[in-house]
Amino acid sequence: MDVSGSDQRTAETVLQTAITDPTSFDRNKLNRVIQLLESRDQTVRLSASWAIGLIVSSNPDAVAGSVRSLASLLESEPERIHDDIIRALGY
């Protein structure tokens, strides 16, 4: 995942939308949020994990199909980002 200003802007937008309209996340949009967890930028990952928590708080079924993707990140991503992935799974 690119550590560019683009990821940072996307993460900010995702988090803002999760705060103001969490029910607007469809499967494609949620997959983009999950992809942000692969970023090397901790702020991007943290924003993504918070967004997932807000989305799930509003609609628990929203991530039902994404748990496997989140869990597979634990196997494929460096240990340094595990806390952010676990935070997202914890919701």
Side-chain angles (χ1 to χ4, degrees):
M1 177 88 24
D2 183 23
V3 183
S4 66
S6 176
D7 278 352
Q8 291 172 346
R9 285 188 298 277
T10 299
E12 289 171 8
T13 300
V14 162
L15 183 56
Q16 182 178 23
T17 304
I19 291 167
T20 59
D21 189 15
T23 60
S24 70
F25 285 82
D26 61 14
R27 184 178 203 98
N28 290 331
K29 207 170 184 181
L30 186 57
N31 284 336
R32 177 61 181 131
V33 178
I34 291 169
Q35 288 175 351
L36 291 172
L37 290 171
E38 298 176 40
S39 175
R40 289 179 286 183
D41 184 322
Q42 185 177 15
T43 303
V44 170
R45 293 191 315 269
L46 191 56
S47 295
S49 66
W50 284 344
I52 291 169
L54 292 166
I55 295 163
V56 173
S57 292
S58 176
N59 181 7
D61 295 330
V63 295
S66 302
V67 172
R68 180 169 278 137
S69 297
L70 288 166
S72 71
L73 286 174
L74 289 172
E75 294 176 359
S76 65
E77 292 301 316
E79 194 171 313
R80 65 182 165 74
I81 71 165
H82 285 187
D83 287 345
D84 298 319
I85 296 167
I86 291 168
R87 183 179 301 106
L89 279 167
Y91 291 109

